[in-house]
Amino acid sequence: MIKIEIPNPDVVITKSRQVGEKVESPLSSIYGFTNYNKIPRDKGGIILFFNNKDELLFVGKARKLRPRVKRHFEDTVSPIKAHRDDVYKIAVIVVDEPMEREIYETYIINTLQAKYNIEKVFYK
């Protein structure tokens, strides 16, 4: 039997609330996330979207992490498009090898039972 362990996230960003008076300039954000620069631009890996109760909403993989995370909030075809406001935390695990990304994605979806992943589900 093969033993798989879910790696610890390399980067975790959470939704920011703008605090201050109305005269302050607004933070540049997409759905409340202002620190995308912490996510590696040219590395591949796994993306995990959580709500404020720390429930896993969606798991995805990408060859280039930062553009893919942003696209989830901009695309009209993203699996989380109807639930974007529910996303409170984004965790990123850097995984360079495409085959390892595929294995981790499938394993995480089924182990943590991601709410909005409909493909690669074996637990239903």
Coordinates of all heavy atoms in Angstrom, one line a residue, residues 48-60 79-80 83 86-87 108-119 121 123-124:
L48 N -6.0 25.2 -2.3 CA -7.1 24.8 -1.4 C -7.8 26.1 -1.0 O -7.2 27.0 -0.5 CB -6.6 24.1 -0.2 CG -5.9 22.8 -0.5 CD1 -4.4 23.0 -0.5 CD2 -6.2 21.8 0.6
F49 N -9.1 26.1 -1.2 CA -10.0 27.2 -0.8 C -10.8 26.8 0.4 O -11.5 25.8 0.3 CB -10.9 27.6 -2.0 CG -10.2 28.1 -3.2 CD1 -9.9 27.3 -4.2 CD2 -9.9 29.5 -3.3 CE1 -9.2 27.7 -5.4 CE2 -9.3 30.0 -4.5 CZ -8.9 29.1 -5.5
F50 N -10.8 27.6 1.4 CA -11.5 27.3 2.7 C -12.5 28.4 3.0 O -12.3 29.6 2.6 CB -10.6 27.2 3.9 CG -9.6 26.0 3.8 CD1 -8.4 26.2 3.2 CD2 -10.0 24.8 4.3 CE1 -7.5 25.1 3.1 CE2 -9.1 23.7 4.3 CZ -7.8 23.9 3.7
N51 N -13.6 28.1 3.7 CA -14.5 29.1 4.2 C -14.1 29.6 5.6 O -13.1 29.1 6.1 CB -16.0 28.7 4.1 CG -16.3 27.5 5.1 OD1 -15.5 27.2 5.9 ND2 -17.4 26.9 4.9
N52 N -14.9 30.5 6.2 CA -14.5 31.0 7.5 C -14.6 30.0 8.6 O -14.2 30.2 9.8 CB -15.2 32.3 7.8 CG -16.7 32.1 7.8 OD1 -17.2 31.0 7.5 ND2 -17.5 33.1 8.2
K53 N -15.3 28.8 8.4 CA -15.4 27.7 9.4 C -14.3 26.7 9.1 O -14.3 25.6 9.7 CB -16.7 27.1 9.2 CG -17.9 28.0 9.6 CD -19.2 27.3 9.3 CE -20.3 28.3 9.5 NZ -21.6 27.8 8.9
D54 N -13.3 27.0 8.3 CA -12.2 26.1 7.9 C -12.6 24.9 7.2 O -12.0 23.8 7.3 CB -11.4 25.8 9.2 CG -9.9 25.8 8.8 OD1 -9.5 26.5 7.9 OD2 -9.1 25.1 9.5
E55 N -13.8 24.9 6.5 CA -14.2 23.8 5.7 C -13.7 23.9 4.3 O -13.7 25.0 3.8 CB -15.8 23.8 5.6 CG -16.5 23.6 7.0 CD -18.0 23.9 6.9 OE1 -18.4 24.7 6.0 OE2 -18.7 23.3 7.7
L56 N -13.2 22.8 3.8 CA -12.6 22.8 2.4 C -13.7 23.0 1.4 O -14.6 22.1 1.3 CB -11.8 21.6 2.2 CG -11.0 21.5 0.9 CD1 -10.0 22.6 0.7 CD2 -10.3 20.1 0.8
L57 N -13.6 24.0 0.6 CA -14.6 24.3 -0.4 C -14.2 23.6 -1.8 O -15.0 23.0 -2.4 CB -14.8 25.8 -0.6 CG -15.3 26.5 0.6 CD1 -15.4 28.0 0.3 CD2 -16.7 26.0 1.0
F58 N -12.9 23.9 -2.2 CA -12.5 23.4 -3.5 C -11.0 23.2 -3.5 O -10.3 23.9 -2.8 CB -12.9 24.5 -4.5 CG -12.6 24.1 -6.0 CD1 -13.4 23.2 -6.6 CD2 -11.4 24.6 -6.6 CE1 -13.1 22.8 -7.9 CE2 -11.1 24.2 -7.9 CZ -12.0 23.4 -8.6
V59 N -10.6 22.2 -4.3 CA -9.1 21.9 -4.5 C -8.9 22.0 -5.9 O -9.6 21.4 -6.7 CB -8.8 20.5 -3.9 CG1 -7.3 20.2 -4.2 CG2 -9.1 20.4 -2.5
G60 N -7.8 22.6 -6.3 CA -7.4 22.7 -7.7 C -5.9 22.6 -7.8 O -5.1 22.7 -6.8
P79 N -15.3 26.7 -11.1 CA -16.2 25.9 -10.3 C -16.6 26.6 -9.0 O -17.7 26.2 -8.5 CB -15.3 24.6 -9.9 CG -14.2 24.6 -10.9 CD -14.0 26.0 -11.3
I80 N -15.9 27.6 -8.6 CA -16.3 28.3 -7.4 C -17.0 29.6 -7.7 O -17.2 30.4 -6.7 CB -15.1 28.5 -6.4 CG1 -14.1 29.4 -7.0 CG2 -14.6 27.2 -5.9 CD1 -13.1 29.9 -6.0
H83 N -19.6 30.7 -5.4 CA -19.3 30.7 -4.0 C -18.1 31.5 -3.6 O -17.4 31.3 -2.6 CB -19.0 29.2 -3.6 CG -20.1 28.3 -4.1 ND1 -21.3 28.2 -3.5 CD2 -20.1 27.4 -5.1 CE1 -22.0 27.3 -4.1 NE2 -21.3 26.8 -5.1
D86 N -17.8 33.1 -0.3 CA -17.6 32.2 0.8 C -16.1 31.9 1.1 O -15.8 31.5 2.2 CB -18.3 30.9 0.6 CG -19.8 31.0 0.4 OD1 -20.3 32.0 0.9 OD2 -20.4 30.1 -0.1
V87 N -15.3 32.2 0.2 CA -13.8 31.9 0.3 C -13.2 32.9 1.3 O -13.3 34.1 1.1 CB -13.1 31.9 -1.0 CG1 -11.6 31.7 -0.8 CG2 -13.6 30.9 -2.0
I108 N -6.4 14.8 -1.7 CA -7.0 15.8 -0.9 C -8.5 15.9 -1.0 O -9.2 16.0 -0.1 CB -6.2 17.1 -1.1 CG1 -4.8 17.0 -0.6 CG2 -7.0 18.3 -0.4 CD1 -3.9 18.2 -1.0
I109 N -8.9 15.9 -2.3 CA -10.4 16.0 -2.6 C -11.1 14.9 -1.8 O -12.2 15.1 -1.2 CB -10.7 15.9 -4.1 CG1 -10.2 17.1 -4.8 CG2 -12.1 15.6 -4.4 CD1 -10.2 17.0 -6.3
N110 N -10.6 13.7 -1.9 CA -11.3 12.5 -1.3 C -11.1 12.4 0.2 O -12.0 11.9 0.9 CB -10.9 11.3 -2.0 CG -11.6 11.3 -3.4 OD1 -12.8 11.0 -3.5 ND2 -10.8 11.6 -4.4
T111 N -9.9 12.8 0.7 CA -9.6 12.7 2.1 C -10.4 13.8 2.9 O -11.0 13.5 4.0 CB -8.1 12.8 2.4 OG1 -7.5 11.7 1.6 CG2 -7.8 12.6 3.9
L112 N -10.3 15.0 2.5 CA -10.9 16.1 3.2 C -12.3 16.4 2.7 O -12.9 17.3 3.2 CB -10.0 17.4 3.1 CG -8.5 17.2 3.6 CD1 -7.8 18.5 3.4 CD2 -8.5 16.8 5.0
Q113 N -12.7 15.7 1.7 CA -14.1 15.8 1.1 C -14.4 17.3 0.7 O -15.3 17.9 1.3 CB -15.1 15.3 2.0 CG -14.9 13.8 2.3 CD -16.0 13.1 3.1 OE1 -17.0 13.7 3.5 NE2 -15.9 11.8 3.3
A114 N -13.7 17.8 -0.3 CA -13.9 19.1 -0.8 C -15.4 19.3 -1.2 O -15.9 18.4 -2.0 CB -13.0 19.4 -1.9
K115 N -16.0 20.4 -0.8 CA -17.4 20.6 -1.1 C -17.8 20.7 -2.5 O -18.9 20.2 -3.0 CB -17.9 21.8 -0.2 CG -19.3 21.9 0.0 CD -19.5 23.1 1.0 CE -20.9 23.2 1.4 NZ -21.1 24.3 2.4
Y116 N -17.0 21.5 -3.3 CA -17.5 21.8 -4.7 C -16.7 21.1 -5.8 O -16.8 21.4 -6.9 CB -17.4 23.3 -4.9 CG -18.3 24.1 -3.9 CD1 -17.8 25.0 -3.0 CD2 -19.7 23.7 -3.9 CE1 -18.7 25.6 -2.1 CE2 -20.5 24.4 -3.0 CZ -20.0 25.3 -2.1 OH -20.8 26.0 -1.2
N117 N -15.8 20.2 -5.4 CA -15.2 19.3 -6.4 C -16.2 18.2 -6.8 O -16.6 17.5 -6.0 CB -13.9 18.7 -5.9 CG -12.8 19.7 -5.8 OD1 -12.6 20.3 -4.8 ND2 -12.0 19.8 -6.9
I118 N -16.5 18.2 -8.1 CA -17.4 17.1 -8.5 C -16.8 16.0 -9.3 O -17.3 14.9 -9.4 CB -18.6 17.7 -9.3 CG1 -18.1 18.6 -10.5 CG2 -19.5 18.6 -8.4 CD1 -19.2 19.1 -11.4
E119 N -15.6 16.3 -9.9 CA -14.9 15.3 -10.6 C -13.8 14.7 -9.6 O -13.5 15.4 -8.6 CB -14.2 15.9 -11.8 CG -15.2 16.3 -12.8 CD -14.5 16.9 -14.1 OE1 -13.3 16.8 -14.2 OE2 -15.2 17.4 -14.9
V121 N -14.1 12.5 -7.4 CA -14.7 12.2 -6.1 C -15.0 10.7 -6.0 O -15.7 10.1 -6.9 CB -16.0 13.0 -5.9 CG1 -16.7 12.6 -4.6 CG2 -15.7 14.5 -5.9
Y123 N -15.8 9.3 -2.7 CA -16.4 9.1 -1.4 C -17.9 9.1 -1.4 O -18.5 8.8 -0.4 CB -15.9 10.1 -0.3 CG -16.1 11.5 -0.6 CD1 -17.3 12.2 -0.3 CD2 -15.1 12.3 -1.3 CE1 -17.5 13.5 -0.5 CE2 -15.3 13.6 -1.5 CZ -16.5 14.2 -1.2 OH -16.7 15.6 -1.4
K124 N -18.5 9.5 -2.5 CA -20.0 9.6 -2.5 C -20.6 8.3 -2.8 O -20.1 7.5 -3.4 CB -20.5 10.7 -3.5 CG -20.1 12.1 -3.0 CD -20.7 13.1 -3.9 CE -20.4 14.5 -3.3 NZ -21.0 15.6 -4.0

